[in-house]
Amino acid sequence: MILPPAILGMLGGGQLGRFFVAAAHEMGYPVWVLDPDPHSPAALIADRHLLAAYEDFAALDELAQGCAAISTEFENVPAGTLDYLDKFVVVRPAAAAVSVCQNRIAEKTFLRDQGLPHAAFAAVHSEQDLREAATGLFPGILKVARFGYDGKGQAVVANAEQAIAAFQQFKGETCVLEQKLALDYEVSVVLARDESGIVTSFPVAENSHRKGILDVSLVPARASTELRAAAAALAARIAEGLRYIGTLAVEFFVVRGELLINEMAPRPHNSGHYTIDACITSQYEQQVRALCGLPLGEARAHSAAAMVNLLGDLWYETTPAGHHYREPDWSKLHAFPALKLHLYGKHHARPGRKMGHFTVLDGDPERARQVAMAARAAIGIVDAP
């Protein structure tokens, strides 16, 4: 076991890293953050900020020399960086697992090879691949294979011609073409797996999106007990197949009552933010525990929860004179006594940027949802999720 006051390292300095730092601090671990952003939210509360690129080997050497173990908060840290650090220090999750999640083709191929349920897809390296794509893949969604998230790098296409036009807009970047599905709803599982293979899963969340970005998560998901158990079991199979150590998130589509795996994230997840307030152990504490070889904590929820994302759009008010930048009136949220507000300390708000979230707790799931939706409207999010 790696015990306090050993120093932990974090690659990436966004809100997920910030919550990791907070969890590690509560457990007695100092944290160094490596991130190229001088305004990194995680670095603001870290013990040290290495302001450097993820492929700056001098900075990586310094991180490896100073830290007992290193993790990451987002999947786009170069796998080569993780491989390099692994020569000198404990790195979890491993580069091999992260690299599968970094590329949609590798991810879909992994699911296929593991015999796990997923939507039909085709790898797209050229326009000819689209001309030869099976007609059953249309209408479909063309997605860039790397660096696409929160709806970015995606286009809904009705036929091969539209797909080729979208491929050209993506500048010929390698893509996957996925069959467009009529969804019942979406759910996600966040779990932790330790070095001995023990898995603990948090309650399944039901998720709704707005403009391709997670809007609301409800816990427990309004799904059958059987479906929730099946989702947790599939997520555990993925963790086992990846030989994963750390916190992992798996997103699912529910189509005609059946689960299809959408994608996985080798890190804590937006839909798991509720665990900070509603569970005995948060997804971030589990990340610390798995990284340090500690026994995993109890993942059980002590209340129902409804989580709502707060995007940068809230910082802009439309008036006859145009768009006006102003801080939202947080007193409107503090008026709800069972609401927990989390703001990420980001330097500048912009539309679509995740700036914070709130979670409403209640013994009754429907009441938590109703209060959350009332608070969501009060702060100015007026369209239906």
Side-chain angles (χ1 to χ4, degrees), residues 10 90 113 145 167 170 202 240 242 249 287 302 309 320 322 324 334 345 347 354 368:
M10 172 53 57
V90 173
D113 292 348
F167 184 68
F170 296 151
F202 291 99
E240 178 65 28
L242 291 171
Q287 186 180 18
H302 51 69
N309 265 338
H324 170 65
H334 289 305
H347 183 250
K354 295 174 181 175

Side-chain angles (χ1 to χ4, degrees), residues 8 82 133 151 169 192 201 222 242 287 295 317 321 324 346 377 383:
L8 305 182
L82 299 175
Q169 286 185 336
S201 295
R222 294 173 296 182
L242 291 171
Q287 186 180 18
E317 183 178 40
H324 170 65
K346 292 188 176 179
D383 54 324

Side-chain angles (χ1 to χ4, degrees), residues 160-207:
E161 290 72 24
Q162 289 186 10
I164 290 169
F167 184 68
Q168 292 171 347
Q169 286 185 336
F170 296 151
K171 299 180 180 178
E173 192 171 334
T174 301
C175 293
V176 292
L177 176 65
E178 297 179 13
Q179 181 185 30
K180 190 173 186 298
L181 303 168
L183 307 184
D184 300 342
Y185 52 96
E186 299 181 49
V187 297
S188 59
V189 173
V190 176
L191 60 77
R193 184 176 182 270
D194 69 12
E195 58 189 331
S196 64
I198 294 172
V199 172
T200 61
S201 295
F202 291 99
V204 178
E206 176 185 342
N207 305 315

Side-chain angles (χ1 to χ4, degrees), residues 29-255:
Y29 296 95
V31 182
W32 293 4
V33 168
L34 189 152
D35 190 281
D37 180 2
H39 305 296
S40 155
L44 292 175
I45 65 169
D47 298 271
R48 187 176 180 196
H49 180 195
L50 298 175
L51 184 63
Y54 299 118
E55 294 172 300
D56 182 326
F57 287 97
L60 295 178
D61 287 341
E62 194 169 355
L63 190 70
Q65 290 166 11
C67 296
I70 297 170
S71 192
T72 180
E73 63 124 31
F74 77 126
E75 55 267 41
N76 291 326
V77 170
T81 293
L82 299 175
D83 264 332
Y84 179 78
L85 289 169
D86 189 52
K87 297 174 183 176
F88 312 107
V89 66
V90 173
V91 176
R92 294 171 175 164
V98 174
S99 64
V100 172
C101 304
Q102 285 181 335
N103 185 295
R104 294 185 191 276
I105 295 174
E107 183 179 60
K108 301 297 182 186
T109 302
F110 168 82
L111 295 175
R112 183 189 64 199
D113 292 348
Q114 293 285 318
L116 295 164
H118 59 280
F121 76 98
V124 177
H125 302 281
S126 67
E127 293 182 15
Q128 189 61 30
D129 290 332
L130 291 168
R131 294 187 184 96
E132 296 174 356
T135 56
L137 289 175
F138 297 105
I141 304 175
L142 189 69
K143 302 179 180 180
V144 295
R146 289 179 59 85
F147 305 118
Y149 65 97
D150 287 343
K152 299 178 176 68
Q154 300 185 16
V156 177
V157 293
N159 49 46
E161 290 72 24
Q162 289 186 10
I164 290 169
F167 184 68
Q168 292 171 347
Q169 286 185 336
F170 296 151
K171 299 180 180 178
E173 192 171 334
T174 301
C175 293
V176 292
L177 176 65
E178 297 179 13
Q179 181 185 30
K180 190 173 186 298
L181 303 168
L183 307 184
D184 300 342
Y185 52 96
E186 299 181 49
V187 297
S188 59
V189 173
V190 176
L191 60 77
R193 184 176 182 270
D194 69 12
E195 58 189 331
S196 64
I198 294 172
V199 172
T200 61
S201 295
F202 291 99
V204 178
E206 176 185 342
N207 305 315
S208 56
H209 297 75
R210 188 164 54 102
K211 298 180 181 178
I213 303 172
L214 181 65
D215 182 18
V216 177
S217 290
L218 304 177
V219 180
R222 294 173 296 182
S224 68
T225 301
E226 292 77 14
L227 187 140
R228 294 199 300 267
L234 288 169
R237 283 180 59 189
I238 290 173
E240 178 65 28
L242 291 171
R243 297 182 181 178
Y244 194 86
I245 301 175
T247 297
L248 173 75
V250 182
E251 298 179 42
F252 297 87
F253 297 139
V254 182
V255 181

